[in-house]
Amino acid sequence: MSLWEYANPRKFMATSGTILPWVIALAVVTLVGGLVWGFFFTPEDYRQGATVKIMFLHVPAALMAINAWLMMLVTSLIWLVRRHHVSALAAKAAAPIGIVMTLIALITGAIWGQPMWGTAWEWDPRLTSFLILLLFYLGYVALWEAIDNPDTAADLTAVLCLVGSVFALLSRYAVLFWNQGLHQGASLSLDKEENVSDVFAYPLYLCMTGFILLFVALVLMRTRTEIRVRRLNALLARERSV
Amino acid sequence: MRALFWRDIRLAVRSGGGFGLGLAFFLIVVVLIPFGVGPQTSVLRVIAPGVLWVGALLACLLSLDRLFALDYEDGSLDLMATSPLPLEGVVAVKAMAHWVTTGVPLTLVAPVLAVLLNMTPEAFVWLVATLAIGTPALSVIGTFGAALTVGLKRGGLLLSILVLPMYVPTLIFGAETLRRGASGMEVQTPLLLLAAITLASLAILPFASAAAIRINLR
């Protein structure tokens, strides 16, 4: 029994099929719970008013936007080293979710920034690096779509993902250097000095858990779809050859 | 290696279009800016570093899709892959030839265009220096993008989508160094970072490009 057994598509389909409903249920419960708690049962901030509640969407989405790329990096490495197809398909499945998460973070940030900073967009390090991250996601998806042979596509996108990670990180620090920002620093960290107050922190943690579970559920669903599409194509190819 | 280098340069210079096209494009971008922004020389002087760098970057991008496509079509890329020279070396040489035929001319012609944007003469030195240091990185990164898209029928547009986000750090540090140099501030940090990007790209990316070409030729 090892982790690599799940690289077998059949085994993966069976296991993910059984746990998927539970993950979905858990994601819905935590997400609804966290958002309802955050939106309706937290006090309004004394300076920011009700707009502070955008945080409950904005922060988890930004978290997942970065971690989705990290997951793609890990799965791409596994594909390059051990050639497990499920791994490559999981990376392919995660990319569009990453795009949506990045867009949510950017759009909610703009909605919050309009009343608070007086501007919807500012060329600030964090904002700019997220925009660049969005471009990386778009390029990644475009490369998947452009190549017909699935193995070649998996290989090339994996290489792109590795190199892109380096450049995404580099851009992150480059834009930091380029312009001093408006965006606040981290609101949550292990040392408690500058954290948001507990009234906001607990529903925020719940929302973050909900987004993580949502991401896992979506990746599992999309990976299952990709595997089914591949099986279908294999069946069609066999049919044509007979 | 030397033979391949000269072959690429001869091909770039003699096959019409490729060589002069980048320079002409650079000229047109720089000439169009005053029409768009308005001819106030004070404004132009402020935006000149960014305009010149973006123009050089776009001109460099323009010639990238020819880098491997022709060799791929007539089969000479397969020959290079099976030759005794390692594919990493082939890629590095082709990137260098690309730099000599686009980056170097762009660097040399940039001061002439900087006059049009009312740049101060003291800034010319920095303009040439940053372009000379930064354009090799543009060529090497572009080679990686070209290697990824070599097997595709219409890879040009995809190539720009893949390569442009990777150009961002080079552009930021190049333009920042130039801006600081032009206004007489200290330039050491961004200049060193720009050089670091170029050297690191030169050291690492040929391996990634060679891997991408091997996948595409398989």
Side-chain angles (χ1 to χ4, degrees):
Chain A
M1 177 68 200
S2 84
L3 186 66
W4 301 114
E5 271 180 39
Y6 295 98
N8 178 351
R10 184 175 296 164
K11 175 102 182 172
F12 174 83
M13 288 300 268
T15 318
S16 62
T18 32
I19 64 167
L20 188 56
W22 296 98
V23 179
I24 292 177
L26 227 79
V28 169
V29 168
T30 45
L31 209 55
V32 170
L35 288 179
V36 169
W37 186 1
F39 284 154
F40 298 111
F41 298 101
T42 53
E44 295 189 352
D45 189 80
Y46 75 102
R47 275 173 66 200
Q48 305 183 359
T51 52
V52 73
K53 293 175 181 180
I54 290 174
M55 165 178 89
F56 297 112
L57 270 177
H58 179 73
V59 175
L63 172 86
M64 288 327 292
I66 296 170
N67 284 342
W69 189 276
L70 195 66
M71 179 226 143
M72 282 156 57
L73 175 63
V74 173
T75 46
S76 299
L77 267 175
I78 295 176
W79 159 251
L80 283 180
V81 176
R82 300 197 62 151
R83 323 277 317 160
H84 293 315
H85 286 267
V86 176
S87 181
L89 291 179
K92 182 184 184 183
I97 308 172
I99 292 183
V100 174
M101 292 292 176
T102 316
L103 277 177
I104 292 177
L106 285 172
I107 291 170
T108 52
I111 294 172
W112 183 85
Q114 185 59 52
M116 286 302 117
W117 294 344
T119 167
W121 180 260
E122 181 71 29
W123 290 96
D124 156 284
R126 285 208 178 187
L127 276 62
T128 314
S129 57
F130 254 72
L131 194 62
I132 297 168
L133 182 67
L134 181 68
L135 293 179
F136 272 113
Y137 273 125
L138 291 178
Y140 181 87
V141 173
L143 190 61
W144 260 111
E145 293 304 319
I147 302 169
D148 295 328
N149 182 347
D151 274 8
T152 314
D155 275 334
L156 288 177
T157 50
V159 174
L160 175 67
C161 184
L162 299 192
V163 176
S165 304
V166 177
F167 276 94
L169 202 66
L170 200 61
S171 311
R172 174 79 184 79
Y173 290 102
V175 293
L176 204 66
F177 183 84
W178 175 54
N179 197 349
Q180 288 310 311
L182 209 53
H183 198 291
Q184 73 212 61
S187 306
L188 296 171
S189 57
L190 289 178
D191 67 85
K192 280 273 181 183
E193 280 297 301
E194 48 195 63
N195 283 5
V196 293
S197 71
D198 284 353
V199 194
F200 296 115
Y202 290 127
L204 184 56
Y205 289 139
L206 200 60
C207 285
M208 281 155 90
T209 320
F211 262 78
I212 293 171
L213 286 168
L214 176 71
F215 176 73
V216 172
L218 286 174
V219 168
L220 283 180
M221 268 162 78
R222 289 185 50 89
T223 312
R224 285 167 65 80
T225 313
E226 291 290 340
I227 292 175
R228 288 201 176 111
V229 167
R230 257 207 204 180
R231 285 180 179 170
L232 187 64
N233 285 338
L235 284 176
L236 286 175
R238 194 183 301 162
E239 197 130 295
R240 268 197 300 274
S241 66
V242 169
Chain B
M1 254 176 138
R2 203 175 300 149
L4 183 63
F5 181 70
W6 289 114
R7 167 189 175 274
D8 263 34
I9 288 185
R10 273 200 301 275
L11 274 178
V13 174
R14 285 185 194 161
S15 69
F19 181 58
L21 206 61
L23 286 178
F25 183 79
F26 190 31
L27 173 72
I28 285 169
V29 168
V30 172
V31 168
L32 281 180
I33 294 294
F35 290 114
V37 179
Q40 302 95 332
T41 47
S42 54
V43 177
L44 286 179
R45 180 174 293 173
V46 175
I47 62 170
V51 169
L52 287 169
W53 253 92
V54 170
L57 188 152
L58 292 177
C60 186
L61 190 67
L62 200 65
S63 56
L64 282 178
D65 60 337
R66 306 164 55 95
L67 206 57
F68 293 117
L70 298 176
D71 289 340
Y72 179 75
E73 275 163 21
D74 66 10
S76 42
L77 195 60
D78 294 88
L79 283 181
M80 288 175 206
T82 49
S83 74
L85 186 63
L87 196 51
E88 285 81 6
V90 172
V91 171
V93 166
K94 286 184 86 75
M96 236 159 69
H98 178 260
W99 179 63
V100 169
T101 51
T102 58
V104 172
L106 286 178
T107 310
L108 294 179
V109 87
V112 183
L113 298 181
V115 176
L116 296 178
L117 294 178
N118 197 35
M119 245 184 156
T120 52
E122 301 86 72
F124 286 6
V125 147
W126 289 110
L127 177 64
V128 173
T130 53
L131 282 176
I133 295 172
T135 44
L138 298 184
S139 285
V140 178
I141 297 169
T143 310
F144 173 62
L148 280 178
T149 54
V150 67
L152 297 172
K153 281 283 171 291
R154 299 190 51 80
L157 191 60
L158 181 64
L159 177 65
S160 50
I161 295 176
L162 295 179
V163 164
L164 279 179
M166 293 198 230
Y167 274 175
V168 169
T170 318
L171 173 65
I172 288 177
F173 288 125
E176 177 76 23
T177 314
L178 178 52
R179 196 178 306 121
R180 289 191 180 192
S183 55
M185 288 191 282
E186 82 65 56
V187 293
Q188 197 185 9
T189 323
L191 190 65
L192 286 180
L193 282 166
L194 182 66
I197 291 177
T198 302
L199 291 177
S201 312
L202 273 172
I204 297 164
L205 277 180
F207 293 94
S209 312
I213 288 179
R214 280 201 196 93
I215 294 163
N216 266 324
L217 287 180
R218 194 171 58 208

